Amino acid sequence: MSETLKERFREKLHDLGFSEVRFAPVGEATPAAADRFRRWLAEGQHADMHWLAKNPERRLDPREVLATTASLVVVGTHYQESPFAGHQAIPVVGRYARYTDYHETIGKALRQACQWFEEKMSLPPRSLRAYTDTGPILERGWAARAGLGFQGKNGMLISRQHGNWLILGVFLLPYPFSPDPLPDPRVEPGEDPPLAEYCGTCTRCLTACPTGAITEPGLVDARLCLSYQTIENRGSIPLELRRPMGYRLFGCDDCLEVCPWNKFAQKGHSRLLEARPLITSLGLLGFLRLDRQTYVEIFRKSPLKRAKLEGLWRNAAVVAGNFLRNEPHHPDVPGIKKALQELSHSPNEMVAEHAQWALHQER
Ligand code: B12
Ligand code: SF4
Ligand code: SF4
């Protein structure tokens, strides 16, 4: 397939705002990677994310998703910048969630790119597929195979240019474009860089994880992961994880923040991402007192909407409990207790129970 088309597509993707663009040949996961993924599911490490266990074989070979797939393009969008970190330490919101939902912004750019390609090649609509977190594709595995980086002990795809601050996306293409050369000359196109090899003896992420969720290098048990608990879990947060949750309201970046590869990361963030200062300026009291109308207005197209209002109240209550325990003399304490008392009468049993737990944390 024409190198000119490949390079024009790459240029188009960079023009749309993607920071990294890399082509990979289609294929299957290696038996070792496939076995790890199957074991992760068999042990229930995916928690309540049952959609991950639905037809797992599809995730191991993109041709099971789109039979005509002949090559892939993996894109990365960088977000090294940590907007509003200084004036908003409590509650903590994961870096990626301080921007407009990337499913919206990156998703739109992916659709524009598909349309561009289909029009150029006079293909019918939906001849390509593109996903960012939205499809049955093991995006980190494909990013590693495309040479975008390697999977570290924290499970993250780590790039030499952007550290682990990259949001990933994947295109399934109906043409066999030639693969890009890989950064490590020992690895041939179609092979995977060895898991965690470039971590060397470093174990910083394993030590930094507050719950021991990284059960083996590169594998995270979602049941213990605070990212899962604060974003995906729709039920009660297990009691033993509430104190380790600290001040995390939505998402967790601890195993990302400590990675030494981040010192090479390109500063700033891609123009595909839009910072949302209002969200983190709410503060703990703002989250505890959030009403439905404000929630609808402020959280439009924000990743935090995934937790739903009840989930944000639940998480804010846990943060508040930890705050009362750590900072009993802080001037905000009376306001926080009042807001918790109100939440403890919520008709939603889960919210009420978390607020009651929080009120009992004061020493
Ligand atoms: C489910 C999910 C979660 C779950 C489970 C996390 C986990 N460790 O798997 C929870 C909710 C906990 C979560 C948390 C986070 N997530 Co998440 N999550 C996903 C999702 C939807 C699926 C991941 C999955 O299938 N996991 C199962 C495990 C076993 O697979 P894996 O981690 O991909 O690794 C296996 C494969 O890569 C395979 N493999 C290895 N080589 C090869 C080669 C080939 C060719 C193939 C096919 C496979 C393969 O072997 C690996 C080990 O078994 C992906 C999007 C996607 N569709 O991939 C985003 C994704 C992984 N998440 C992402 C992010 C940003 C996060 C958080 C940082 C968010 C936050 N701030 O709170 C945390 C980080 C936690 C961590 N250290 O992993 C990004 C990661 C970007 C990056 N640079 O790595 C992704 C890729 C979304 C995106 N589009 O950018 N997440
Ligand atoms: S995201 Fe947080 S809880 Fe999850 S593995 Fe990383 S450090 Fe541990
Ligand atoms: S912190 Fe160290 S061990 Fe963890 S992913 Fe980064 S380099 Fe690897």
Side-chain angles (χ1 to χ4, degrees):
M1 186 43 58
S2 136
E3 284 297 303
T4 321
L5 176 62
K6 177 180 164 187
E7 291 315 318
R8 285 189 65 195
F9 192 37
R10 193 196 303 277
E11 206 180 298
K12 177 71 190 171
L13 291 167
H14 281 306
D15 285 350
L16 282 168
F18 292 108
S19 326
E20 290 285 338
V21 178
R22 294 194 63 92
F23 289 76
V26 74
E28 299 170 2
T30 55
D35 283 353
R36 254 196 330 272
F37 177 55
R38 288 195 194 101
R39 182 161 53 81
W40 187 77
L41 291 172
E43 289 172 2
Q45 296 195 40
H46 57 302
D48 276 344
M49 297 179 290
H50 301 299
W51 42 274
L52 279 164
K54 235 199 257 167
N55 200 350
E57 300 311 310
R58 252 161 53 113
R59 289 180 187 268
L60 297 169
D61 186 342
R63 289 165 297 196
E64 296 286 325
V65 179
L66 182 67
T68 50
T69 307
S71 63
L72 292 93
V73 179
V74 183
V75 286
T77 305
H78 79 287
Y79 65 108
Q80 177 277 341
E81 192 177 20
S82 173
F84 351 111
H87 73 274
Q88 190 46 58
I90 304 172
V92 182
V93 171
R95 277 197 203 192
Y96 86 90
R98 300 175 204 174
Y99 298 93
T100 296
D101 191 347
Y102 70 84
H103 301 95
E104 297 274 344
T105 47
I106 296 179
K108 184 173 166 205
L110 293 176
R111 285 192 297 280
Q112 286 171 332
C114 287
Q115 201 181 348
W116 180 92
F117 193 98
E118 285 158 358
E119 279 172 16
K120 277 274 158 307
M121 301 310 290
S122 308
L123 294 167
R126 301 219 10 100
S127 299
L128 269 62
R129 292 283 191 286
Y131 303 107
T132 178
D133 202 38
T134 42
I137 302 286
L138 288 167
E139 292 170 359
R140 303 199 263 209
W142 279 103
R145 188 168 287 188
L148 214 79
F150 70 98
Q151 254 185 296
K153 289 178 191 166
N154 61 5
M156 298 299 289
L157 186 283
I158 301 173
S159 121
R160 285 164 179 78
Q161 284 77 29
H162 304 286
N164 48 210
W165 304 117
L166 271 183
I167 294 165
L168 301 175
V170 174
F171 291 87
L172 310 186
L173 302 174
Y175 297 122
F177 288 111
S178 61
D180 285 333
L182 298 174
D184 183 341
R186 293 172 301 172
V187 185
E188 296 286 327
E191 287 179 1
D192 302 321
L195 184 81
E197 162 136 335
Y198 311 96
C199 291
T201 54
C202 176
T203 51
R204 281 196 209 181
C205 53
L206 302 169
T207 312
C209 177
T211 58
I214 308 174
T215 47
E216 61 184 87
L219 270 197
V220 170
D221 186 336
R223 293 168 296 190
L224 295 173
C225 179
L226 296 172
S227 175
Y228 169 80
Q229 291 297 340
T230 55
I231 302 175
E232 300 291 337
N233 182 7
R234 297 282 160 261
S236 185
I237 295 176
L239 279 172
E240 64 279 14
L241 296 181
R242 292 187 192 175
R243 279 198 193 151
M245 202 171 122
Y247 298 149
R248 293 171 195 79
L249 178 94
F250 186 90
C252 174
D253 282 335
D254 285 30
C255 59
L256 283 72
E257 296 282 0
V258 295
C259 183
W261 283 96
N262 293 331
K263 63 175 176 265
F264 303 116
Q266 187 185 318
K267 301 280 175 268
H269 64 84
S270 153
R271 65 191 149 77
L272 273 177
L273 298 171
E274 300 159 11
R276 297 282 292 269
L278 242 185
I279 285 169
T280 40
S281 65
L282 265 180
L284 178 54
L285 264 172
F287 276 99
L288 291 169
R289 291 189 190 139
L290 201 57
D291 61 71
R292 201 160 293 278
Q293 198 188 331
T294 318
Y295 164 77
V296 171
E297 281 164 18
I298 296 187
F299 291 92
R300 218 179 130 257
K301 296 192 179 175
S302 156
L304 276 77
K305 266 186 89 175
R306 185 154 179 90
K308 307 214 173 2
L309 180 54
E310 287 71 20
L312 293 178
W313 280 330
R314 174 200 65 186
N315 296 351
V318 176
V319 173
N322 291 326
F323 188 79
L324 290 182
R325 198 179 161 77
N326 298 338
E327 307 272 351
H329 307 300
H330 193 282
D332 283 352
V333 163
I336 289 175
K337 281 167 70 175
K338 188 162 178 283
L340 281 172
Q341 263 141 14
E342 273 167 37
L343 286 180
S344 72
H345 299 299
S346 165
N348 181 305
E349 274 178 35
M350 175 188 75
V351 172
E353 185 275 315
H354 283 74
Q356 284 151 16
W357 173 87
L359 285 164
H360 282 103
Q361 297 313 301
E362 215 183 3
R363 283 188 277 201

